[in-house]
Amino acid sequence: MNIYAIGDLHLSGNPPTKPMNIFGPHWDNHWHRIKEHWLTTVTDEDIIFLVGDMSWALRLDEALYDLKEIASLPGQKFMIRGNHDYWWSSANKMKNAMGDAITFLQGRGTARIINLTTQVNTLTGESQSTEHQCILAFGGTRGYICPDDASFEPDTDQSIYDREILRTEATLQEMEHAIQELQKEHAETENTEEILPVTRVLLLHYPPFNENNAPSGFTDLMERYQVDICIFGHLHDQMSFKRIPTTFGNTKLELVSADYAEFKIQKIL
């Protein structure tokens, strides 16, 4: 099993009602290019995180074509909301519409025991696949622009930011509870005192800090809950692409906006 991610697909039906090449020729046929790479990269057993801005639709029924396109591709799909996902509805309505084809996460966390595939180099210089068992804990929410960002307006944005901090902490707490339950279940089932290694993955749509990469409530939570990897999208300009560091504290950062990733699925683990 491998773990992949991508964000900001910005789909709008077929033919697209909002072609993305209005933002530049690099967006030409972007969904065809993403699908082509997805089909040759991801298997049904792999996990793929979708970090928001999936469809330009305004209502759930309007987004179904785009969601079914995504659902038809390989992989176990987990999706969070982006700032342009106006179609996002209640958990029950989305579950009824898509069944188990896509799991919608919003302020929710979970964990599972997986067999993660890694590549190791042998003494002869050849690459060899090995698998090891671990707990993958993950969850997410939309996030928000952070204080001291140029676009942050305290009168209107502070309350939304505070709410998203609360949702993020609730997500991380659910992840921790799920980890503890799986460790207990593993110990009882295998009759062992072995503690499985854990990888904690936080999914956000927005970056976890402002345009100056300053500490925020999100980065404080990443440190407190020992988040190993934070995956996010939202950004689409070269200046932002260049300013994002590879780590923040002990957390690895993964920017996976579709255009940043050259319209390819990004391997996380």
Side-chain angles (χ1 to χ4, degrees):
M1 173 184 285
N2 295 301
I3 314 299
Y4 298 94
I6 193 168
D8 304 270
L9 301 183
H10 289 293
L11 304 181
S12 59
N14 186 28
T17 57
K18 188 169 183 176
M20 287 297 291
N21 58 7
I22 62 172
F23 299 107
H26 60 296
W27 282 92
D28 284 343
N29 299 313
H30 80 286
W31 180 227
H32 173 77
R33 291 150 62 194
I34 291 168
K35 284 197 297 184
E36 193 172 58
H37 184 255
W38 191 321
L39 286 167
T40 59
T41 304
V42 181
T43 70
D44 283 334
E45 72 167 6
D46 294 330
I47 287 174
I48 182 155
F49 296 128
L50 302 156
V51 295
D53 281 6
M54 296 291 107
S55 172
W56 284 110
L58 299 179
R59 299 195 313 266
L60 178 58
D61 62 323
E62 296 173 344
L64 287 181
Y65 180 88
D66 297 333
L67 294 175
K68 288 177 180 178
E69 277 276 290
I70 295 167
S72 70
L73 296 170
Q76 304 172 61
K77 304 161 195 76
F78 297 88
M79 184 182 295
I80 62 168
R81 185 179 188 176
N83 60 306
H84 290 300
D85 288 320
Y86 299 113
W87 55 268
W88 194 275
S89 189
S90 69
N92 284 339
K93 287 182 179 179
M94 294 188 293
K95 171 75 171 177
N96 289 338
M98 297 304 298
D100 295 325
I102 299 173
T103 300
F104 299 95
L105 300 171
Q106 185 68 3
R108 300 300 304 274
T110 187
R112 55 179 57 185
I113 297 174
I114 65 170
N115 292 313
L116 191 64
T117 304
T118 56
Q119 298 291 325
V120 297
N121 292 323
T122 66
L123 293 175
T124 61
E126 296 178 348
S127 181
Q128 192 174 65
S129 295
T130 64
E131 287 193 347
H132 69 276
Q133 195 173 61
C134 65
I135 293 176
L136 178 70
F138 58 91
T141 185
R142 183 183 65 170
Y144 201 60
I145 52 176
C146 294
D148 297 325
D149 194 279
S151 60
F152 189 88
E153 297 289 344
D155 290 346
T156 55
D157 292 327
Q158 187 67 49
S159 61
I160 303 173
Y161 168 82
D162 291 341
R163 181 188 67 201
E164 287 299 310
I165 292 293
L166 291 174
R167 282 180 172 169
T168 302
E169 182 156 31
T171 295
L172 293 166
Q173 288 173 343
E174 280 198 3
M175 287 164 54
E176 289 306 307
H177 177 73
I179 291 167
Q180 292 171 17
E181 290 298 308
L182 285 177
Q183 294 284 23
K184 180 181 178 182
E185 178 185 317
H186 173 73
E188 293 175 350
T189 303
E190 302 297 329
N191 191 24
T192 179
E193 295 183 2
E194 173 197 16
I195 300 297
L196 288 172
V198 178
T199 298
R200 296 170 175 85
V201 179
L202 175 63
L203 311 175
L204 298 172
H205 178 65
Y206 287 86
F209 36 56
N210 64 22
E211 61 193 357
N212 298 312
N213 302 346
S216 71
F218 297 109
T219 60
D220 290 347
L221 290 172
M222 283 157 46
E223 179 180 6
R224 191 186 318 160
Y225 287 88
Q226 299 179 319
V227 172
D228 296 290
I229 304 170
C230 179
I231 306 173
F232 55 93
H234 185 67
L235 304 175
H236 297 291
D237 63 283
Q238 289 297 321
M239 187 176 296
S240 293
F241 293 169
K242 292 174 181 176
R243 75 169 169 86
I244 298 297
T246 57
T247 59
F248 194 102
N250 294 318
T251 302
K252 184 179 180 184
L253 302 179
E254 294 280 4
L255 172 60
V256 297
S257 306
D259 48 336
Y260 173 77
E262 298 182 343
F263 306 101
K264 295 178 180 179
I265 303 297
Q266 296 300 290
K267 188 172 187 293
I268 305 300
L269 292 169

